[in-house]
Amino acid sequence: MCWSSARVQSGGSGNTFRIDNSPGVSSAELDAAVGELRAFVAQLTREGVVAADGSVTDAGTVVTAVRSRPERLRKLARAIAGGASDAVPAAVQGGVATLVTALVGGT
């Protein structure tokens, strides 16, 4: 399965046209990005920056952690660049997943 933005249009006689301008993300790449994000969130939880439910207790520290450790989030950055910016935080529950994904994606 690829996570990408695409436009699909079906013709009247069963013809389907797909226009896809993004590189997409394979399921293996998405799994790797989700695993990387979960490990990062687990570390932030151990450090007390994130609560057990995934809520952010110190947003400034999360921002600093993301910006100071970009090597920890390379797979996540590639997945976001490939169009998985909505899929990754959906797989990792909690406000911190959305925050980290937004920071890595530059939004």
Side-chain angles (χ1 to χ4, degrees):
M1 177 184 332
C2 287
W3 297 91
S4 61
S5 59
R7 182 173 163 215
V8 178
Q9 182 176 359
S10 296
S13 60
N15 296 327
T16 300
F17 302 94
R18 180 179 177 93
I19 301 168
D20 190 348
N21 295 324
S22 69
V25 177
S26 72
S27 58
E29 291 169 318
L30 182 59
D31 288 344
V34 167
E36 188 176 73
L37 180 57
R38 284 185 176 145
F40 191 71
V41 169
Q43 179 180 349
L44 293 175
T45 302
R46 286 188 301 274
E47 294 173 359
V49 178
V50 174
D53 66 355
S55 61
V56 178
T57 59
D58 186 347
T61 302
V62 172
V63 171
T64 300
V66 169
R67 292 188 175 149
S68 67
R69 304 180 221 176
E71 70 283 352
R72 293 275 327 264
L73 301 168
R74 287 186 181 151
K75 294 173 187 169
L76 178 60
R78 281 195 297 270
I80 292 169
S85 60
D86 292 328
V88 174
V92 180
Q93 297 300 316
V96 71
T98 303
L99 176 59
V100 171
T101 301
L103 290 167
V104 170
T107 58

